[in-house]
Amino acid sequence: MDHSAAIHVAQPLLWALIFLPAVGALVNGFLGRRLGKGNVALIGIGVMVAAFLAAVFAYTRLFHGEVLHAAGDPWFQVGGLSIRFGLLFDRLSGTLSLVVTGVGLLIHVYSSSYMEHEDDFGYARFFTYLNLFVAAMMTLVLGDSLALTFMGWEGVGLASYLLIGFWYTDQQKAWCGRKAFIANRVGDFGFLIGFFAVLSIFGTADYGQLASMAARLQGGALLATGPFAGWTVTGAVTLATLGFFVGCTGKSAQLPLYVWLPDAMAGPTPVSALIHAATMVTAGVYLVARTSFLFALAPASMAVVTTVGAATALFSALIAFAQTDIKKVLAYSTVSQLGFMFIGVGSGAYFAGVLHLVTHAFFKASLFLGAGSVMHGMRDDTDIRNMGGLAKKMPQTARTFLISTIAITGLLPLSGFFSKDAILAGALFAHNAMTEAYPWVGVTAYVLGTLAAAGTAFYMMRLYALTFAGTPRTEAAAHAHESSPLMWGPLWILSALAVVALVLGLPGEWAGGELFARFTHPVFAQAIATAHVEEHAATAWPFVVAWLVAVVFGGLGWAMYAGSLKRIPIRFVEAVPALYRFALDKFRVDELYEWLLVKPIQKVSHFLWKVGDAFLIDGLLVNGTARAANAFARAFRTLQNGDVQRYAAVMALAVAAILWTALGRGGH
Amino acid sequence: MPTVSANDLLALAPVALLALGGIALLLTEVFLTTGRRGYQAGLTVAFAVAAGAAALAAGNLGPVFRGQATADGFAAFVTVTVCGGLALAAMVGASWLGARDAERGEFYALALFATAGMSLLAMATDLLVAFIAIEVMSLSIYALAAFMRRGRKPAEAAFKYFILGAFSSALLLYGTSLVYGATGTGGRPGSTLLADVARGAGSPLLVAGLALILAGLAFKVGAVPFHVWTPDVYEGAPTPVTAFMAAGVKAAAFALLARVMMATYAGTAGSADGFFLQLIGTLALLTMLVGNLFAVPQRSVKRMLAYSSIAHAGYLLLAVLAAGQPALRADALSGLLFYLASYTVAAIGAFAVLGAVEDRGTGPGAEPPGACDVDRLAGLSRRRPLLAFAMAVFMLSLAGVPPTAGFVAKLLVFKSAIAAGSWALAVAGILTSALGAYYYLRVVVFMYMRPAAEGEPEGIFSPLLSVALLIAVVAVVVLGIGPEPLSGFARAAAAMVR
């Protein structure tokens, strides 16, 4: 990120990316109820079209190597620290902007039909929140400092909370919103630790300044000033980056904070597609990529990111095996795919992580919207055991779902194959500061990742087979109907994108290859230099392994749920019912947290409430202070009885006292 | 023969515009044959805006009128603040008086004259000019306090304010004469009573004179123990007048106090042994403590806001104290300016909401007991949700809760107090602010968590009031979220004070 090359243009254009959706949210929020559904949708979609066009226009400038930087006005100034409202549109944030506005636009269009059954108020509320989310997400992506990114980070958290609990009259759904919010708050605490650590180390939050300061640092050098005086640079930066990653595990649903994401499926399905699959949950990946130059200084942090990502990928893929709710399967799949992205950005294959973010946005959004279409057809039933044979009833949905399934499974030649393989190969052949310190990390991530990829292929084919193949298993499935073109139109565009995006990831030896890697190279150049990331010679065998894994396990999944091996899953459940229950119950992680954290905290809280709040604070401090103040006031009330002579006397005495002191002390 | 330069006139333009506005309103009132007075508030706002713009346009002209006044950024900032306060108070006053059928041109004319005095006060660097400005301001305010003169309470309030105000003026004047005697100013070009304070260094007469001046000014800002008039007067005066008094008089008096203390710190350095720093510190501590402690048991919101106004004077004194160190002066004074601006909008807003819901009684002169009781706000969130929301915002700002302007203001002031080494005072300030949250939040609790009494009327509805409240709420929130433009302006303004 060469700051000096930043060209200060296009300021209004970048601001428009945030303000357009914000204005949409304001108008729909305040007037939406009276405007009627048509106008609400028009405004909500209109601002997204405008924002998307602005993003496209700004993006065209990037091809010439420009970096658009809107150096903003000062926001606040505390001590020596000055924070500005500045926006940065480079090849990383630009790409994210295109995804957010583009996919966001499609999902707005889809929602205009999907949410039709809401009343006017609910409809306006939905579009208000959706626009609000886009505005916050654009702030997160475009902010040129950690402060602005954090503002967006909290903003998307709020929008997510509001949308998960969109049907807030349902206790269970409102509770899911709260769970998401709390898990994210735990993560945000980590983000703040990282944020303040960075402020203490560097004295600035601006990415450009941070990058140029980080470039001059030596890992072994000792810091001279600030709270970290005496620490090595590596130690301090490791603390900061680990803090950030704790934030990422919350926002991007990684171990151990992933538990909120499956419950987030309580929100309307377009929300699951936009926020909890395509965009918001990738914010953590974006943050690691954005601050890659800091992570590059801290090999231990890189190792943690990679390992946690790999473990999450496999762990959640295993849970997805046994889920019977179409949205839950996709949710665990999202957690798993986010793990892949973290393997990428953690192990130095930065472009691969971001590329997977982009391709995943396409096919996962398509899958979720497809699931929403299925729910429409099935009258909101989400249990895949009640489906079957929907391919004939809902041909458009089925075809797009199949394309996206193949893409996520990693079958040649769709985009998912290239982005996932780039990550796994990148981890396996990684040769950088991290693998020097921790040689086992790359191989471990490769093995875990490949197992997770096998799992992905299996459960995704199982999902498709149970939903669309065979014959209808219930009355509802027999009478399912295709959704409106407003809904399957976006599905086709997204699955087309999932196919077309493959050109971005074609590997080196193929015609025009490694488009995306070369395109994003300027963003990651500093991190690559700092972490001594070395190019690895492309080898064919990981491709073959990845392809074989996808084919074998995909085929297995198909055969076991739609083909000739149908008896196997039933026998498996009969043979080891306990294991099956365990997987179905998501390995009882929620119960573990309940027992380990929630209950003890509740007990301690109750105790503290009794002793601290009820007795000490309410009893002694609050009421005590109030009583003391009352007594004090009563005692002095004689001086405040409305008698003007007495007032004058008070003042005269005060003057006399002042003069006495002045002449007694000062004058001589 | 003294000559008047173009700069002198330019610097005087805000004052002249305000006075002109007052005269215009008086004249039109005389020739008014219909009862339509809708234009009056609008005219007042227009003159206030024009005067504020003129102050900004004049900018940093430096000393004018041979050094008797100065048109610097500090003066411009204070002028804009009091003009903004005037505009808000005029809009609030129009709806309040309109609802009581008591709207007269004199109200606006007096307010404009008072503001002219305040703007002059902001510029004054000579104690005699300052005295004239103070009297112009005070006489208008005495009359305004008596505006609802048929009521027993307003008459009593105005009378008390007048008597005690005269007392404080006497202190001020006597102190001025002592300073004059000690410095022997006169005749030389550019010599003014403030600029020459240093010439009297070492003289007990000077210390006594300055101490008396300080006592007189402490009365105007309502610092303990010169605050005794405040609760009665604030409670008795018509609510819009109280709002204007709390914001405008405080801002203008603090401007002069800051200038006097700058001269005092410089002029008595070494001789008075830090006496004045200790004096200001003592006043600040007493003011913070008494203001907050007495606010707690009040039932009447109006009286509570009067004590709260005293408490805020204490925090502002902390900034004046910190300005005693030349290195911290710009920071401390910018904190003072920001605090004045944020207090102006929040206090006028709070009084405006209170005025909208207070009990009007049955006829002119009627004074129902408990007209401003906190019970009258019970359930306001259900009757008037927007009004309740505005009041909540103002209460949070006065309590200093982020993200409101009051938080930033307190942060700046406490920061400069800590930088000046006044740890104990800063801690006392923070603790008393916490105490303040108790009585501010009680208002919010009543509005949002207590059921309304049966048959409670809905209070005043008026577009002007809504506009004024909207402006105040937006200002409080915007200054709380993005304080930098204004605090940058305040820093630039404070840096110009010599």
Side-chain angles (χ1 to χ4, degrees), chain A residues 74-79 85 622-623 625-626 628-630 632-633 636-637 639-644 646-652 654-655 658-659 661-663 665-668, chain B residues 156 160 163-164 167-168 171 202 204 207-208 211-212 215 219 225-229 231-232 271-273 275 278-279 293-294 296-297 303 307 415 435 438 481-484 491:
Chain A
W75 178 14
F76 57 83
Q77 201 162 2
V78 178
F85 267 123
V622 175
N623 294 335
T625 311
N630 268 324
F632 176 83
F636 284 85
R637 190 161 287 170
L639 290 178
Q640 195 73 58
N641 66 344
D643 182 3
V644 72
R646 200 171 296 196
Y647 291 176
V650 170
M651 285 168 55
V655 170
I658 289 174
L659 279 182
T661 330
L663 296 177
R665 293 196 32 196
H668 302 291
Chain B
E156 187 190 322
K160 271 184 194 164
I163 295 284
L164 295 172
F167 185 44
S168 85
L171 292 177
V207 176
L212 285 172
F219 173 86
F226 302 95
H227 72 289
V228 271
W229 58 278
D232 292 1
S271 65
D273 201 18
F275 167 71
Q278 286 169 15
L279 183 56
L293 283 175
F294 273 72
V296 171
R303 210 169 164 86
Y307 281 108
K415 198 158 67 79
L435 186 61
Y438 174 80
I481 294 172
E484 189 49 33
R491 264 199 305 280

Side-chain angles (χ1 to χ4, degrees), chain B residues 78-96:
Chain B
V78 174
T79 305
V80 171
T81 305
V82 294
C83 286
L86 168 66
L88 286 176
M91 288 192 267
V92 175
S95 56
W96 195 89

Side-chain angles (χ1 to χ4, degrees), chain A residues 4 62 152 202 206 241 269 292 296 309 320 335 375 386 437 445 615:
Chain A
S4 58
L62 296 180
F202 298 97
D206 183 285
T241 45
T269 306
S292 54
V335 175
M375 285 164 61
N386 299 337
F615 173 70

Side-chain angles (χ1 to χ4, degrees), chain B residues 13-60:
Chain B
V15 182
L17 272 171
L18 290 164
L20 195 68
I23 293 167
L25 274 160
L26 276 187
L27 285 181
T28 56
E29 174 74 17
V30 170
F31 293 108
L32 197 65
T33 48
T34 65
R36 286 192 216 125
R37 293 190 167 82
Y39 72 95
Q40 292 179 336
L43 206 60
T44 311
V45 171
F47 273 105
V49 170
L56 283 179
N60 192 18

